[in-house]
Amino acid sequence: MRNIKLIIEYDGTNYCGWQKQKNGISIEEMIEKSIEKILKEKVELIGSSRTDAKVHAKGQVANFFTNTRVPAEKICNALNSVLPEDIKIIHSEEVSKEFHSRYDSKGKKYSYLIVNREVPLALYRNYAAHVKYDLNLGNMQEACKYFLGEHDFSAFRSTGSSVKTSVRNIMLLELIKRDEFITVNIEANGFLYNMVRIIVGTLIDVGRGKIKPNEIKDIIQSKDRKRAGATAPPQGLYLEKVYY
Amino acid sequence: MRNIKLIIEYDGTNYCGWQKQKNGISIEEMIEKSIEKILKEKVELIGSSRTDAKVHAKGQVANFFTNTRVPAEKICNALNSVLPEDIKIIHSEEVSKEFHSRYDSKGKKYSYLIVNREVPLALYRNYAAHVKYDLNLGNMQEACKYFLGEHDFSAFRSTGSSVKTSVRNIMLLELIKRDEFITVNIEANGFLYNMVRIIVGTLIDVGRGKIKPNEIKDIIQSKDRKRAGATAPPQGLYLEKVYY
């Protein structure tokens, strides 16, 4: 058996998310079906991150085991020829049998796009969150500092996943503003369920003046989900990169 | 009668273009129908630019005459509440009866987004042109200089429009590269039919080495459409701003 690693880009707009579900079409099953079509073999895809419905990826990673003799580098183009237009494989390679895209991940990078203006979005409606309130970027940037480092992020996760620990280490959290676009870049050794979207929702509350920057410290310590902001909408979120 | 000016953003993906056509739904008719719904009055919308199918706009301008007493500034929100999600009005105001969005335009700014990489696009497939060939950005930038200024751009227009003169003045033509994204910004006192897309197609040929930068001068002088590059695809094109 050979172990094949894929790097995947997708537009999550029309999917129920990465993971297979009863009520919708998942990205995972679209890729599995395409692999079956190309390699004439049923495989089980292991994804690094279970992105939610409408969430996008530029660098999702997945792996699968196969008996095929097709060269690993050629699997990329072959899959792209049968995949739907909103899912494309960026890269394919053979890796050691021990490689597991989820368990071996050492960290991940996400970005989140906000469009800050009064008028609703036409062009970016599926690719950004719309915030119509005036946002104080300086306050949001100050708040970012309090998230950095190793903390128990229980206040910043949704129920619905079972993980051993809710301690995570955020290495990067920055905001970049260009005209009406605010990009949030965040990197950590791992993320709890909905953690990025709740952090972004909380930063938006800081920007609106509902939360003071230095309150973030207390909110983290409280481990109380109700004290953090709302979960920001999925369509602004991009899985950028998975580190191994 | 009052004359109302609108600034409009739209995602052109699902439309046959700005202008009404038999075989498809146009942006113009969607807005006209929405105005009728809101103001209970049939109006004729005058658009500044007849953008093609799949072309986007961040700052299309249109005007219409109405007897309504609804304050002009409130028309924006009212229209947005009934318009489809891929068309939004950014701004509405009352202007002098003489204002004509097309005839009074003093210039326009377009941008064009290219994604330059081997793998086909999933995320940006409807919002950028995909170029898989290696592009020499330096050569493309050198070529830009030859387009600047007043020229007869007959070599850079498609047949299908009847205008008095094909002389136009290009004030700005620049390329900005960020990772795999190349943005072309272009500003002129006016554009011939498909002019931006043919200029971009020609710049791509320069980037690929099919046309030398200093050949642009000859191509312009030849007034021969066949000597310029292919018309770049519509989905990379954005009408950014109309100047009055």
mmCIF file of all heavy atoms in Angstrom, chain B residues 10 45 47 70 77 104-106 108 147 152 159 163 171 173-174 185 205 212 214-215 224 234 236 240:
data_model
loop_
_atom_site.group_PDB
_atom_site.id
_atom_site.type_symbol
_atom_site.label_atom_id
_atom_site.label_comp_id
_atom_site.label_asym_id
_atom_site.label_seq_id
_atom_site.Cartn_x
_atom_site.Cartn_y
_atom_site.Cartn_z
ATOM 1 N N TYR B 10 -21.718 44.720 -8.583
ATOM 2 C CA TYR B 10 -22.336 43.423 -8.890
ATOM 3 C C TYR B 10 -21.322 42.345 -9.215
ATOM 4 O O TYR B 10 -20.206 42.610 -9.630
ATOM 5 C CB TYR B 10 -23.383 43.519 -10.004
ATOM 6 C CG TYR B 10 -22.988 44.247 -11.266
ATOM 7 C CD1 TYR B 10 -22.236 43.609 -12.255
ATOM 8 C CD2 TYR B 10 -23.405 45.553 -11.496
ATOM 9 C CE1 TYR B 10 -21.903 44.268 -13.432
ATOM 10 C CE2 TYR B 10 -23.077 46.219 -12.673
ATOM 11 C CZ TYR B 10 -22.318 45.568 -13.633
ATOM 12 O OH TYR B 10 -21.983 46.231 -14.786
ATOM 13 N N LEU B 45 -33.351 52.761 -17.171
ATOM 14 C CA LEU B 45 -32.054 52.964 -16.548
ATOM 15 C C LEU B 45 -31.020 53.259 -17.636
ATOM 16 O O LEU B 45 -30.969 52.579 -18.652
ATOM 17 C CB LEU B 45 -31.681 51.679 -15.799
ATOM 18 C CG LEU B 45 -30.709 51.738 -14.646
ATOM 19 C CD1 LEU B 45 -31.169 52.723 -13.586
ATOM 20 C CD2 LEU B 45 -30.544 50.348 -14.047
ATOM 21 N N GLY B 47 -27.117 53.196 -18.201
ATOM 22 C CA GLY B 47 -25.874 52.720 -17.591
ATOM 23 C C GLY B 47 -24.661 53.356 -18.242
ATOM 24 O O GLY B 47 -24.671 53.651 -19.433
ATOM 25 N N VAL B 70 -39.731 59.861 -2.792
ATOM 26 C CA VAL B 70 -38.810 59.173 -1.869
ATOM 27 C C VAL B 70 -37.463 59.902 -1.903
ATOM 28 O O VAL B 70 -36.924 60.153 -2.982
ATOM 29 C CB VAL B 70 -38.617 57.695 -2.284
ATOM 30 C CG1 VAL B 70 -37.563 57.009 -1.418
ATOM 31 C CG2 VAL B 70 -39.939 56.943 -2.232
ATOM 32 N N ASN B 77 -30.907 51.975 0.102
ATOM 33 C CA ASN B 77 -31.311 50.889 1.016
ATOM 34 C C ASN B 77 -32.584 50.191 0.562
ATOM 35 O O ASN B 77 -32.707 48.973 0.676
ATOM 36 C CB ASN B 77 -31.530 51.423 2.434
ATOM 37 C CG ASN B 77 -30.217 51.672 3.140
ATOM 38 O OD1 ASN B 77 -29.174 51.182 2.704
ATOM 39 N ND2 ASN B 77 -30.252 52.457 4.205
ATOM 40 N N ASP B 104 -21.750 61.735 -20.102
ATOM 41 C CA ASP B 104 -20.984 62.676 -19.280
ATOM 42 C C ASP B 104 -19.706 62.080 -18.690
ATOM 43 O O ASP B 104 -18.929 62.793 -18.056
ATOM 44 C CB ASP B 104 -21.856 63.203 -18.129
ATOM 45 C CG ASP B 104 -22.944 64.133 -18.641
ATOM 46 O OD1 ASP B 104 -22.926 64.440 -19.852
ATOM 47 O OD2 ASP B 104 -23.799 64.539 -17.832
ATOM 48 N N SER B 105 -19.510 60.774 -18.870
ATOM 49 C CA SER B 105 -18.330 60.133 -18.286
ATOM 50 C C SER B 105 -17.046 60.743 -18.854
ATOM 51 O O SER B 105 -16.883 60.865 -20.067
ATOM 52 C CB SER B 105 -18.392 58.635 -18.587
ATOM 53 O OG SER B 105 -17.091 58.094 -18.655
ATOM 54 N N LYS B 106 -16.130 61.128 -17.963
ATOM 55 C CA LYS B 106 -14.855 61.731 -18.400
ATOM 56 C C LYS B 106 -13.743 60.687 -18.431
ATOM 57 O O LYS B 106 -12.663 60.925 -18.969
ATOM 58 C CB LYS B 106 -14.462 62.861 -17.449
ATOM 59 C CG LYS B 106 -15.394 64.063 -17.534
ATOM 60 C CD LYS B 106 -14.595 65.335 -17.424
ATOM 61 C CE LYS B 106 -15.401 66.583 -17.768
ATOM 62 N NZ LYS B 106 -16.856 66.460 -17.648
ATOM 63 N N LYS B 108 -12.757 56.223 -17.067
ATOM 64 C CA LYS B 108 -13.120 55.028 -16.312
ATOM 65 C C LYS B 108 -11.881 54.309 -15.828
ATOM 66 O O LYS B 108 -10.820 54.401 -16.449
ATOM 67 C CB LYS B 108 -13.913 54.063 -17.210
ATOM 68 C CG LYS B 108 -15.351 54.472 -17.408
ATOM 69 C CD LYS B 108 -16.035 53.611 -18.429
ATOM 70 C CE LYS B 108 -17.318 54.273 -18.887
ATOM 71 N NZ LYS B 108 -17.832 53.698 -20.138
ATOM 72 N N PHE B 147 1.508 51.593 -24.120
ATOM 73 C CA PHE B 147 0.067 51.829 -24.233
ATOM 74 C C PHE B 147 -0.328 53.226 -23.762
ATOM 75 O O PHE B 147 -1.375 53.736 -24.137
ATOM 76 C CB PHE B 147 -0.702 50.796 -23.391
ATOM 77 C CG PHE B 147 -0.758 49.422 -23.988
ATOM 78 C CD1 PHE B 147 0.089 48.414 -23.545
ATOM 79 C CD2 PHE B 147 -1.673 49.135 -24.993
ATOM 80 C CE1 PHE B 147 0.025 47.143 -24.088
ATOM 81 C CE2 PHE B 147 -1.753 47.855 -25.537
ATOM 82 C CZ PHE B 147 -0.896 46.862 -25.087
ATOM 83 N N ASP B 152 -4.703 55.692 -31.463
ATOM 84 C CA ASP B 152 -5.826 55.011 -32.108
ATOM 85 C C ASP B 152 -5.722 53.531 -31.729
ATOM 86 O O ASP B 152 -4.789 52.847 -32.131
ATOM 87 C CB ASP B 152 -5.725 55.204 -33.628
ATOM 88 C CG ASP B 152 -6.917 54.572 -34.347
ATOM 89 O OD1 ASP B 152 -7.452 53.558 -33.846
ATOM 90 O OD2 ASP B 152 -7.298 55.089 -35.405
ATOM 91 N N THR B 159 -15.085 43.937 -32.969
ATOM 92 C CA THR B 159 -16.163 44.515 -33.763
ATOM 93 C C THR B 159 -17.459 44.382 -32.978
ATOM 94 O O THR B 159 -17.569 43.574 -32.063
ATOM 95 C CB THR B 159 -16.307 43.759 -35.099
ATOM 96 O OG1 THR B 159 -16.373 42.367 -34.816
ATOM 97 C CG2 THR B 159 -15.126 44.038 -35.999
ATOM 98 N N VAL B 163 -18.613 53.394 -32.732
ATOM 99 C CA VAL B 163 -18.236 54.655 -32.094
ATOM 100 C C VAL B 163 -17.562 55.529 -33.136
ATOM 101 O O VAL B 163 -16.990 55.033 -34.096
ATOM 102 C CB VAL B 163 -17.301 54.443 -30.877
ATOM 103 C CG1 VAL B 163 -18.092 53.944 -29.682
ATOM 104 C CG2 VAL B 163 -16.168 53.493 -31.201
ATOM 105 N N MET B 171 -4.352 56.832 -19.277
ATOM 106 C CA MET B 171 -3.601 57.602 -18.282
ATOM 107 C C MET B 171 -2.822 56.707 -17.333
ATOM 108 O O MET B 171 -1.821 57.114 -16.759
ATOM 109 C CB MET B 171 -4.556 58.466 -17.456
ATOM 110 C CG MET B 171 -5.008 59.732 -18.158
ATOM 111 S SD MET B 171 -6.506 59.458 -19.162
ATOM 112 C CE MET B 171 -7.780 59.499 -17.902
ATOM 113 N N LEU B 173 -1.641 52.464 -16.641
ATOM 114 C CA LEU B 173 -1.652 51.023 -16.912
ATOM 115 C C LEU B 173 -0.536 50.431 -16.078
ATOM 116 O O LEU B 173 0.644 50.631 -16.346
ATOM 117 C CB LEU B 173 -1.436 50.731 -18.410
ATOM 118 C CG LEU B 173 -1.421 49.242 -18.793
ATOM 119 C CD1 LEU B 173 -2.667 48.507 -18.344
ATOM 120 C CD2 LEU B 173 -1.233 49.070 -20.297
ATOM 121 N N GLU B 174 -0.894 49.736 -15.012
ATOM 122 C CA GLU B 174 0.118 49.202 -14.102
ATOM 123 C C GLU B 174 -0.208 47.773 -13.726
ATOM 124 O O GLU B 174 -1.361 47.356 -13.750
ATOM 125 C CB GLU B 174 0.222 50.063 -12.833
ATOM 126 C CG GLU B 174 -1.076 50.101 -12.042
ATOM 127 C CD GLU B 174 -0.972 50.797 -10.683
ATOM 128 O OE1 GLU B 174 0.049 51.439 -10.405
ATOM 129 O OE2 GLU B 174 -1.944 50.673 -9.903
ATOM 130 N N ASN B 185 -4.218 47.383 -13.393
ATOM 131 C CA ASN B 185 -5.065 48.571 -13.223
ATOM 132 C C ASN B 185 -4.945 49.440 -14.458
ATOM 133 O O ASN B 185 -3.836 49.717 -14.918
ATOM 134 C CB ASN B 185 -4.633 49.372 -11.994
ATOM 135 C CG ASN B 185 -4.936 48.644 -10.704
ATOM 136 O OD1 ASN B 185 -6.019 48.093 -10.543
ATOM 137 N ND2 ASN B 185 -3.970 48.613 -9.794
ATOM 138 N N ASP B 205 0.505 37.681 -23.564
ATOM 139 C CA ASP B 205 1.393 37.213 -24.635
ATOM 140 C C ASP B 205 2.805 37.776 -24.481
ATOM 141 O O ASP B 205 3.789 37.094 -24.775
ATOM 142 C CB ASP B 205 0.828 37.607 -26.017
ATOM 143 C CG ASP B 205 -0.260 36.643 -26.481
ATOM 144 O OD1 ASP B 205 -0.471 35.617 -25.799
ATOM 145 O OD2 ASP B 205 -0.887 36.918 -27.513
ATOM 146 N N LYS B 212 7.220 40.815 -28.072
ATOM 147 C CA LYS B 212 8.245 41.592 -27.358
ATOM 148 C C LYS B 212 7.627 42.912 -26.881
ATOM 149 O O LYS B 212 6.770 43.480 -27.556
ATOM 150 C CB LYS B 212 9.425 41.889 -28.292
ATOM 151 C CG LYS B 212 10.273 40.670 -28.589
ATOM 152 C CD LYS B 212 11.622 41.096 -29.196
ATOM 153 C CE LYS B 212 12.391 39.896 -29.711
ATOM 154 N NZ LYS B 212 12.216 39.685 -31.182
ATOM 155 N N ASN B 214 8.571 45.989 -26.965
ATOM 156 C CA ASN B 214 8.592 47.136 -27.892
ATOM 157 C C ASN B 214 7.796 46.904 -29.181
ATOM 158 O O ASN B 214 7.651 47.810 -29.993
ATOM 159 C CB ASN B 214 10.035 47.574 -28.202
ATOM 160 C CG ASN B 214 10.831 46.470 -28.863
ATOM 161 O OD1 ASN B 214 10.266 45.490 -29.374
ATOM 162 N ND2 ASN B 214 12.149 46.604 -28.847
ATOM 163 N N GLU B 215 7.275 45.690 -29.360
ATOM 164 C CA GLU B 215 6.379 45.447 -30.511
ATOM 165 C C GLU B 215 5.026 46.116 -30.337
ATOM 166 O O GLU B 215 4.272 46.281 -31.298
ATOM 167 C CB GLU B 215 6.135 43.944 -30.689
ATOM 168 C CG GLU B 215 7.212 43.208 -31.466
ATOM 169 C CD GLU B 215 6.886 41.719 -31.551
ATOM 170 O OE1 GLU B 215 5.884 41.355 -32.188
ATOM 171 O OE2 GLU B 215 7.642 40.923 -30.942
ATOM 172 N N ASP B 224 -4.366 46.780 -36.519
ATOM 173 C CA ASP B 224 -4.782 45.458 -36.987
ATOM 174 C C ASP B 224 -5.100 44.568 -35.780
ATOM 175 O O ASP B 224 -4.202 44.131 -35.065
ATOM 176 C CB ASP B 224 -3.650 44.861 -37.829
ATOM 177 C CG ASP B 224 -3.997 43.479 -38.364
ATOM 178 O OD1 ASP B 224 -5.131 42.994 -38.123
ATOM 179 O OD2 ASP B 224 -3.119 42.881 -39.031
ATOM 180 N N PRO B 234 -13.738 37.060 -19.491
ATOM 181 C CA PRO B 234 -14.490 38.129 -18.835
ATOM 182 C C PRO B 234 -14.402 38.132 -17.308
ATOM 183 O O PRO B 234 -14.445 39.184 -16.677
ATOM 184 C CB PRO B 234 -15.938 37.873 -19.277
ATOM 185 C CG PRO B 234 -15.980 36.431 -19.673
ATOM 186 C CD PRO B 234 -14.617 36.136 -20.222
ATOM 187 N N GLY B 236 -12.233 37.942 -15.119
ATOM 188 C CA GLY B 236 -11.154 38.651 -14.422
ATOM 189 C C GLY B 236 -11.358 40.152 -14.371
ATOM 190 O O GLY B 236 -10.617 40.875 -13.695
ATOM 191 N N GLU B 240 -14.149 49.441 -12.007
ATOM 192 C CA GLU B 240 -13.861 49.964 -10.663
ATOM 193 C C GLU B 240 -14.534 51.303 -10.397
ATOM 194 O O GLU B 240 -15.089 51.531 -9.337
ATOM 195 C CB GLU B 240 -12.339 50.135 -10.484
ATOM 196 C CG GLU B 240 -11.564 48.826 -10.446
ATOM 197 C CD GLU B 240 -11.595 48.159 -9.084
ATOM 198 O OE1 GLU B 240 -11.931 48.845 -8.095
ATOM 199 O OE2 GLU B 240 -11.293 46.952 -9.008
#
